[in-house]
Amino acid sequence: MIRLAFLALAAISTPVIAEPPAPKLLSWPDLVKRPKPSPDATIAYGPDQMHKVDVWRPKGKGPFPVVVMVHGGCWTTSIADRSLMNWVADDLRKDGIAVWNIDYRGVDRAGEGYPGTFEDAAKATDALTANAATFNLDTRRIVAIGHSAGGHLALWLAARAKLPAASPLHSSAPLHIDHVISLGGLPDLEATASTPANGCGTEVVAKLVDTPSAARADVYADTSVPRLLPLGIAQDLVNGREDRIIPFPFATDYVARAKAARRHRRPPHHPGNRPRRTRRTRDSGLGGRRNG
């Protein structure tokens, strides 16, 4: 009886602790209301006004680790350009990380689509090698971060060494990227083109990869990232389950294909050519991360 009375007293005297309110998610208006920071320099890699790269250089002497930044906007310049990434570039700069924020012609610009958009992204990225010494950037290990359509391009840039030799996009010495972070990306162009529910639509993909022809029947062979798997590099995909623009399966389906490609890969075995150990975080350890 005494024990029951004690428990009743404890229940009455124990304060009720309210759960803290859920944090307010950052909306698009919240973002664009913020003062827009500015880069430290801008370089041109071609004649078009979109052939630009903004350089975000931290304070100090360096050398600085560097991130290649690729903006999204459904591969369409009228939707977004590189300035969309100014806020995140500034955050990285404050953390001592330099940013190579590239721009490129979208499908609504002259010379757009295939091969122009891909060539622009490649040239802008490769320009980092020629300019690294000027800004004291450390290119020994490069991370690429891409948002939305930029997630596709960031992964594609990392896969350029796998491009078919006959492709107009093939390069003998593309800049090596060690790690890609895709933020709400669309890595699989075939899936995007066959999924009307995605926020970019399906017509934009046709403009991006061009129309199949006798000379180029498979328009995805050198443009869609799953066709180039396994990449053999670290990849992180950050996607939201409730994202109404980029369906969540775009990430999880890509992860499954990347893991399958890694399992099916068989390196050659012969004297003097022992297979290299693969880090767990490479294709075989990919994760489709959830946000929300």
Side-chain angles (χ1 to χ4, degrees):
M1 191 68 180
I2 294 176
R3 184 170 180 272
L4 290 175
F6 175 78
L7 291 175
L9 179 62
I12 294 172
S13 60
T14 301
V16 177
I17 301 175
E19 292 187 7
K24 182 180 182 294
L25 297 178
L26 183 70
S27 67
W28 177 257
D30 292 335
L31 176 65
V32 297
K33 283 178 186 175
R34 293 181 172 187
K36 182 177 283 190
S38 301
D40 297 277
T42 299
I43 68 154
Y45 65 88
D48 192 271
Q49 71 179 70
M50 303 310 299
H51 289 160
K52 298 290 192 296
V53 177
D54 287 340
V55 185
W56 300 71
R57 187 181 183 276
K59 293 180 180 179
K61 296 181 179 180
F64 304 103
V66 61
V67 162
V68 173
M69 189 79 72
V70 192
H71 72 82
C74 297
W75 305 278
T76 304
T77 301
S78 61
I79 294 178
D81 61 17
R82 66 188 184 279
S83 67
L84 175 66
M85 309 305 287
N86 280 21
W87 291 277
V88 65
D90 184 49
D91 284 344
L92 290 170
R93 178 173 60 182
K94 290 175 180 177
D95 285 338
I97 300 170
V99 177
W100 190 256
N101 188 19
I102 73 171
D103 221 330
Y104 52 89
R105 289 170 295 173
V107 300
D108 55 341
R109 301 278 300 181
E112 47 72 21
Y114 186 93
T117 299
F118 295 91
E119 288 177 336
D120 286 0
K123 289 177 182 177
T125 301
D126 288 345
L128 173 57
T129 302
N131 290 274
T134 301
F135 299 102
N136 205 5
L137 307 180
D138 184 354
T139 58
R140 290 175 297 176
R141 186 176 187 279
I142 295 173
V143 176
I145 300 176
H147 168 250
S148 191
H152 157 258
L153 287 173
L155 287 163
W156 179 85
L157 288 166
R160 288 167 63 208
K162 309 289 292 291
L163 289 172
S167 168
L169 303 176
H170 180 267
S171 172
S172 59
L175 180 74
H176 177 72
I177 293 173
D178 299 273
H179 188 164
V180 176
I181 301 173
S182 169
L183 306 174
L186 308 91
D188 190 337
L189 295 182
E190 290 177 276
T192 305
S194 62
T195 309
N198 86 81
C200 288
T202 58
E203 293 181 0
V204 67
V205 178
K207 295 178 181 179
L208 179 68
V209 302
D210 208 355
T211 305
S213 63
R216 185 168 168 264
D218 186 355
V219 295
Y220 297 108
D222 57 354
T223 58
S224 188
V225 181
R227 295 295 195 90
L228 304 171
L229 292 170
L231 305 190
I233 64 165
Q235 301 164 64
D236 289 301
L237 280 74
V238 185
N239 288 71
R241 283 190 178 276
E242 299 181 18
D243 191 334
R244 290 173 291 180
I245 298 175
I246 310 301
F248 189 60
F250 279 14
T252 54
D253 291 351
Y254 172 79
V255 169
R257 292 187 66 174
K259 289 181 176 180
R262 183 62 188 89
R263 286 195 299 269
H264 296 156
R265 181 184 178 189
R266 292 294 182 266
H269 292 266
H270 57 80
N273 187 22
R274 297 177 61 189
R276 295 183 300 171
R277 295 181 64 187
T278 303
R279 290 172 51 197
R280 184 188 65 81
T281 53
R282 296 193 178 188
D283 292 289
S284 56
L286 265 167
R289 296 187 176 181
R290 296 187 292 272
N291 180 18

